[in-house]
Amino acid sequence: MQLKNLAIATMAVFTCSTTAAQSASESFDHLPPQQISPENPLVLDHFRVELPLGGVAVVRPAEQDDELTSGMVLGAHEDWTLANLMLHFDQPWSRITFSLVLPPTSETNIRSLFMLYGKDAGSPFSNATLFWHGTDRRHVRVELLRNGSEEPFQRVMLHLLRGAYVDNISVDASRNVFDLADE
């Protein structure tokens, strides 16, 4: 009888572990303020945040609450000019969206960069769409998408200048899942 129960439990584990989630999101609001360093990565439910190029990043309160960001956010440390964050996801995804708040500056160009990586690190994202919010051109919702014919990604590299931060990171298995949910 115990062998039968063990076999059933093993089947249940394999069945659950092979079922991929259709979407996942992270708002950081449940986290306390903290520093992230190369020796101390941030491990979350669906991904981990690492600093492969060194430096320090932080989870801290947002400058202001609005429709894109609120509560706690992920960004560059105030003593560092740049934070190079690598998000390693637990499974492959085809689409990522996140809120990006740029630091106050007189420059109009986006200085925070992002790249998606699958197994082929030389293959960045296929399509990037920016949805600007507000007249100050500092708040943007970013959508990075892999086309259906391309390999999904499992890593995202964010290069955030001091004062820049991200919030509400969402990933989806495909754009079709997202589009159908809106209809």
Side-chain angles (χ1 to χ4, degrees):
M1 188 66 167
Q2 288 181 347
L3 184 58
K4 181 180 176 183
N5 289 341
L6 180 61
I8 292 171
T10 303
M11 287 282 286
V13 167
F14 284 124
T15 302
C16 292
S17 64
T18 59
T19 304
Q22 292 298 309
S23 65
S25 63
E26 180 60 63
S27 69
F28 306 107
D29 291 344
H30 66 285
L31 298 173
Q34 59 188 287
Q35 284 193 2
I36 304 163
S37 65
E39 304 81 31
N40 186 29
L42 177 63
V43 179
L44 301 165
D45 290 338
H46 301 286
F47 63 92
R48 68 185 183 277
V49 180
E50 297 178 346
L51 297 162
L53 303 177
V56 178
V58 294
V59 173
R60 63 175 176 82
E63 291 174 2
Q64 63 186 30
D65 290 347
D66 57 29
E67 72 275 5
L68 292 184
T69 61
S70 63
M72 303 301 283
V73 296
L74 175 65
H77 189 275
E78 63 186 19
D79 293 337
W80 287 80
T81 304
L82 181 68
N84 299 291
L85 307 172
M86 180 68 78
L87 281 58
H88 287 270
F89 292 91
D90 295 342
Q91 72 177 58
W93 299 100
S94 295
R95 178 180 175 271
I96 181 172
T97 56
F98 57 91
S99 298
L100 171 65
V101 177
L102 301 171
T105 179
S106 60
E107 296 182 33
T108 57
N109 295 332
I110 294 179
R111 297 286 183 179
S112 295
L113 306 175
F114 33 81
M115 295 297 287
L116 299 181
Y117 298 98
K119 289 181 184 173
D120 177 11
S123 174
F125 59 89
S126 301
N127 184 30
T129 307
L130 307 177
F131 302 94
W132 293 98
H133 293 260
T135 57
D136 63 356
R137 306 282 289 179
R138 287 186 55 221
H139 294 72
V140 62
R141 188 76 177 153
V142 179
E143 175 189 65
L144 303 175
L145 178 67
R146 289 281 196 158
N147 292 330
S149 62
E150 296 178 309
E151 179 183 316
F153 65 90
Q154 280 194 268
R155 297 181 297 149
V156 176
M157 181 70 132
L158 301 173
H159 305 281
L160 302 176
L161 284 178
R162 177 180 32 230
Y165 55 89
V166 295
D167 197 11
N168 301 315
I169 297 173
S170 300
V171 285
D172 291 295
S174 72
R175 186 179 177 122
N176 294 337
V177 171
F178 181 78
D179 291 342
L180 292 173
D182 283 348
E183 295 178 356

